[in-house]
């Protein structure tokens, strides 16, 4: 019988296919004891397994490229964490087998994360995946992962580790549904990069029986179980209509009455550039530079290595705009040489610009490399700092840019509510703002962006979040400066129209979302977008805001 379930849609499109479940996790190894003379051999086995898993994760990252590469390299660093390995060695020395030592050491570290307030709850799935891969290798059993299938299917899982998501084959995996995760989890971000329809935070997702036919609407979050002929026809017609609309939408981003809204791409490195160019991106609105720093050397990359990577991206957008975010380390992206290891709450600690100001040599090298990479190129380079809290932060960053000889524009990310509230003050020191809606929602609602149970508060349609966006845009307009959005909110076509109505001057998103947003803007006037924005802000809940905006834009 046809039924409808509702999760959180995180990647556009519709997929119809049979359910296939993710491979089961590795079972807990037995608590077998070993004699003392075998300890050294078992420690060697553990190290070999860890190194093999780390190498496999790095190889997967090299194949996937882009943002996925940085995520997987971070997992490899997690596998080889010196403190974890020291704990494994200690446990083996007192009688544990290699597999049991690994299992217990990871369990202990997992408990530490939970006791730290669960800011890193989204990384727990990554940690579990690393543990399972190491234990599987030691036990000689198949790795957990996506099912083998010759026919296309819809993948169901409790959650998807980056190592699995990054290498999904869109020809076989029509879409995926997870029970956990949130709209800004790694799975969601990578799904958008792949262009695979996806729904997360669906309660009871794993109860869907193997082989059940479902339809996944990654835009609305609806799951139609055993859809009948009428529903199938309706969904298939919607897919065809959407494809026709997308194919007819080309050129720069603009509303139907000619109000320009540059559509830019979020990228994680040079390997993301081809997709951005193919999607018609008018430049880069968020160049995440973390990928350069996530290797196993334990130190920052050289100026020469940075220049090479930056120039590759800058050369791809002649006469275009490229906005580079300097290193955003800390919280869920710790770097041993940069961030404290013992922070009680990394989310509220030394991350982003705070970390760079504590290590001015790292910031200086990055800014100098960017200045040299842009020399002789017609590109419009802009550089921004993450986690700017106030004018003092903005001035410190602007001063560092000038000292490095950077002739580019420099700006501030609005990820902390204080920056939105005091946007005009911050704009006395910098030349533009860029809203990171993922973190802005996290800090506005005290809701970890990686915890699926809090997805209601991570919804970018929350009226309070829209108020903060409006405050930032109004401050920028008053100062005659620009205010873009580079968070995941920009990838929602309906919300993109609302953001335009709020006064946002550019939108940046994953390349796969650009055609959808371009098409949506082209169907509405600026006045309609402004009315939709006012209706959304007048609502009390995210769902009501979404419904109100849709009613305005559809003419209901």
């Amino acid at each position: 019988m046809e039924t409808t379930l509702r999760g959180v849609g995180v990647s556009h499109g519709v997929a119809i296919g049979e359910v296939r479940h993710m491979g089961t996790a590795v079972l807990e190894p037995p608590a077998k004891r070993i004699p003392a003379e075998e300890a050294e051999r078992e420690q060697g086995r553990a190290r070999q397994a860890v190194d093999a898993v780390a190498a496999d994760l790095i190889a997967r990252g090299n194949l996937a490229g882009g943002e996925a590469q940085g995520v997987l390299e971070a997992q490899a660093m997690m596998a080889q964490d010196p403190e974890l390995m020291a704990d494994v060695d200690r446990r083996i020395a007192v009688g544990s087998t290699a597999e049991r030592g690994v299992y217990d050491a990871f369990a202990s570290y997992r408990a530490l994360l939970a006791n730290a307030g669960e800011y890193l709850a989204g990384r727990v799935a990554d940690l579990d995946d690393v543990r399972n891969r190491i234990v599987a290798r030691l036990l000689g059993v198949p790795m957990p992962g996506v099912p083998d299938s010759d026919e296309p299917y819809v993948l169901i899982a409790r959650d998807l580790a980056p190592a699995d998501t990054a290498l999904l084959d869109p020809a076989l995996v029509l879409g995926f549904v997870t029970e956990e995760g949130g709209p800004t989890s790694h799975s969601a971000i990578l799904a958008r990069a792949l262009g695979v329809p996806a729904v997360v935070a669906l309660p009871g997702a794993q109860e869907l029986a193997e082989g059940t036919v479902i339809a996944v609407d990654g835009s609305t979050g609806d799951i139609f179980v055993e859809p009948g002929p009428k529903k199938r026809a309706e969904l298939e017609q919607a897919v065809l209509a959407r494809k026709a609309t997308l194919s007819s939408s080309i050129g720069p981003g603009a509303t139907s009455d000619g109000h320009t809204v540059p559509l830019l791409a979020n990228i994680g490195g040079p390997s993301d550039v081809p997709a951005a160019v193919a999607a018609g991106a008018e430049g880069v609105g968020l160049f995440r530079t973390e990928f350069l720093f996530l290797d196993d050397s334990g130190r920052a990359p050289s100026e020469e290595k940075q220049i090479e990577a930056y120039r590759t991206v800058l050369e791809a957008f002649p006469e275009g705009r490229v906005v580079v975010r300097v290193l955003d380390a800390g919280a869920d992206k710790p770097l041993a040489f940069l961030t404290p290891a013992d922070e009680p709450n990394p989310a509220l600690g030394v991350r982003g610009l705070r970390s760079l100001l504590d290590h001015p040599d790292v910031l200086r090298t990055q800014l100098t490399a960017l200045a040299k990479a842009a020399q002789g190129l017609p590109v419009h380079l802009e550089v921004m700092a993450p986690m700017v809290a106030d004018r003092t932060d903005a001035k410190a960053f602007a001063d560092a840019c000038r000292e490095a000889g950077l002739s580019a524009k420099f700006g501030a990310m609005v990820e902390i509510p204080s920056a939105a509230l005091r946007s005009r003050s911050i704009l006395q020191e910098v030349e533009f703002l860029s809203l990171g809606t993922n973190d802005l929602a996290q800090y506005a609602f005290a809701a970890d962006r990686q915890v699926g149970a809090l997805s209601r508060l991570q919804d970018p349609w929350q009226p309070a979040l829209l108020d903060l966006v409006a405050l930032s845009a109004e401050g920028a307009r008053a100062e005659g400066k620009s205010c873009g959005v580079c968070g995941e909110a920009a990838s929602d076509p309906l919300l993109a129209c609302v953001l335009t109505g709020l006064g946002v001057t550019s939108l940046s998103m994953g390349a796969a979302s650009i055609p959808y947003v371009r098409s949506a803007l082209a169907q509405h006037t600026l006045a309609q977008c402004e009315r939709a924005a006012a209706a959304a802000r007048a609502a009390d809940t995210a769902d009501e805001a979404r419904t109100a905006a849709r009613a305005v834009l559809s003419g209901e």
Side-chain angles (χ1 to χ4, degrees):
M1 185 177 75
E2 181 179 318
T3 57
T4 303
L5 306 174
R6 170 65 66 85
V8 178
V10 295
S11 185
H12 305 303
V14 174
I16 303 175
E18 292 188 0
V19 163
R20 293 287 182 276
H21 284 268
M22 189 68 141
T24 57
V26 176
L27 296 176
E28 179 179 349
K32 179 182 176 182
R33 310 301 294 176
I34 60 168
E37 59 268 21
E38 293 183 17
E40 186 174 348
R41 180 180 67 85
E42 289 294 288
Q43 289 169 340
R45 286 182 64 227
R47 283 190 291 272
Q48 288 175 359
V50 165
D51 290 343
V53 167
D56 178 64
L57 290 168
I58 291 172
R60 285 169 176 257
N62 290 336
L63 285 173
E67 183 159 8
Q69 184 171 5
V71 172
L72 291 171
E73 287 176 349
Q75 267 198 298
M77 292 175 65
M78 183 185 290
Q80 295 177 306
D81 181 270
E83 290 187 14
L84 260 175
M85 284 310 302
D87 191 16
V88 171
D89 283 343
R90 284 194 295 270
R91 292 173 187 275
I92 293 174
V94 295
S96 288
T97 60
E99 46 267 39
R100 187 71 206 192
V102 167
Y103 186 90
D104 289 341
F106 272 75
S108 178
Y109 188 48
R110 194 183 200 279
L112 286 176
L113 295 186
N115 291 334
E118 288 194 289
Y119 176 78
L120 300 181
R123 301 289 79 79
V124 166
D126 300 0
L127 184 71
D128 289 346
D129 181 61
V130 171
R131 176 204 64 202
N132 290 347
R133 291 174 185 277
I134 297 171
V135 173
R137 183 171 289 275
L138 287 165
L139 292 175
V141 301
M143 292 283 180
V146 297
D148 291 327
S149 177
D150 295 329
E151 298 296 326
Y153 59 90
V154 176
L155 182 62
I156 306 293
R158 180 184 62 82
D159 201 354
L160 285 174
D164 297 312
T165 314
L167 295 184
L168 290 179
D169 181 356
L172 283 177
V173 182
L174 302 172
F176 66 77
V177 180
T178 65
E179 193 160 308
E180 298 183 0
T184 58
S185 65
H186 280 157
S187 295
I189 292 171
L190 295 177
R192 285 188 283 270
L194 288 167
V196 176
V199 172
V200 301
L202 178 71
Q206 294 183 98
E207 296 174 12
L208 291 167
E210 190 89 1
T212 302
V213 174
I214 64 172
V216 179
D217 190 329
S219 300
T220 65
D222 289 328
I223 305 292
F224 304 98
V225 182
E226 298 289 3
K230 182 179 179 180
K231 175 57 70 175
R232 279 197 180 213
E234 179 184 314
L235 291 169
E236 288 166 358
Q237 185 60 40
V239 170
L240 291 174
R242 183 178 293 170
K243 286 182 178 179
T245 300
L246 291 178
S247 63
S248 65
S249 178
I250 57 175
T255 59
S256 62
D257 56 341
H259 175 73
T260 59
V261 187
L263 302 182
L264 313 171
N266 293 345
I267 67 170
S271 60
D272 287 342
V273 168
V277 173
E282 298 168 59
V284 173
L286 173 62
F287 178 6
R288 304 178 180 95
T289 56
E290 287 76 44
F291 80 102
L292 276 168
F293 295 78
L294 294 172
D295 62 21
D296 59 0
S297 65
R299 61 180 182 273
S302 67
E303 181 180 301
E304 292 71 24
K305 181 178 179 180
Q306 293 190 55
I307 291 172
E308 181 182 358
Y310 301 150
R311 195 170 180 89
T312 299
V313 174
L314 296 175
E315 287 175 338
F317 295 95
E319 304 294 341
R321 178 187 180 198
V322 176
V323 183
V324 179
R325 181 179 72 189
V326 294
L327 176 63
D328 184 13
D332 61 338
K333 293 172 286 188
L335 292 174
F337 64 89
L338 201 65
T339 51
D342 57 351
E343 287 189 297
N345 190 339
L348 304 178
V350 183
R351 66 167 288 197
L353 180 62
R354 300 167 184 176
S355 182
L356 291 174
L357 293 177
D358 280 351
H359 298 80
D361 54 324
V362 175
L363 177 59
R364 186 183 310 111
T365 299
Q366 185 170 26
L367 294 174
T368 302
L370 284 164
K372 292 181 178 179
Q375 286 177 355
L377 297 179
V379 68
H380 301 288
L381 173 64
E382 301 183 12
V383 182
M384 61 185 181
M387 296 297 291
V388 171
D390 56 15
R391 183 173 179 174
T392 299
D393 280 349
K395 184 179 188 304
F397 179 65
D399 288 345
C401 288
R402 295 188 190 97
E403 290 169 8
L406 200 64
S407 59
K409 287 185 177 181
F410 31 87
M413 290 197 70
V414 178
E415 301 166 287
I416 303 172
S418 63
L421 294 167
R422 301 288 294 173
S423 58
R424 293 192 66 176
S425 173
I426 287 172
L427 284 168
Q428 304 309 304
E429 305 293 344
V430 296
E431 299 171 81
F432 68 92
L433 300 177
S434 184
L435 287 137
T437 52
N438 306 346
D439 270 320
L440 186 57
Q442 170 172 255
Y443 292 118
F445 296 104
D448 190 330
R449 55 185 280 193
Q450 299 293 343
V451 178
L454 301 178
S455 60
R456 178 181 71 83
L457 297 173
Q458 298 155 0
D459 193 326
W461 281 94
Q462 283 284 355
L465 184 65
L466 299 181
D467 288 343
L468 291 172
V469 173
L471 277 173
S472 302
E474 288 165 6
R477 183 165 54 248
E479 296 298 326
K481 298 181 178 181
S482 63
C483 176
V485 169
C486 63
E488 293 300 319
S491 65
D492 178 338
L494 181 63
L495 186 50
C497 294
V498 168
L499 294 172
T500 298
L502 292 174
V504 166
T505 56
S506 66
L507 298 166
S508 189
M509 65 211 75
S513 297
I514 290 175
Y516 292 92
V517 172
R518 183 191 292 120
S519 173
L521 286 173
Q523 296 175 53
H524 305 290
T525 66
L526 176 59
Q528 287 176 310
C529 293
E530 289 172 340
R531 288 197 297 273
R537 289 184 68 188
D540 290 320
T541 69
D543 285 342
E544 290 174 2
R546 187 182 290 107
T547 299
R550 184 177 288 114
V552 170
L553 294 177
S554 63
E556 295 177 5

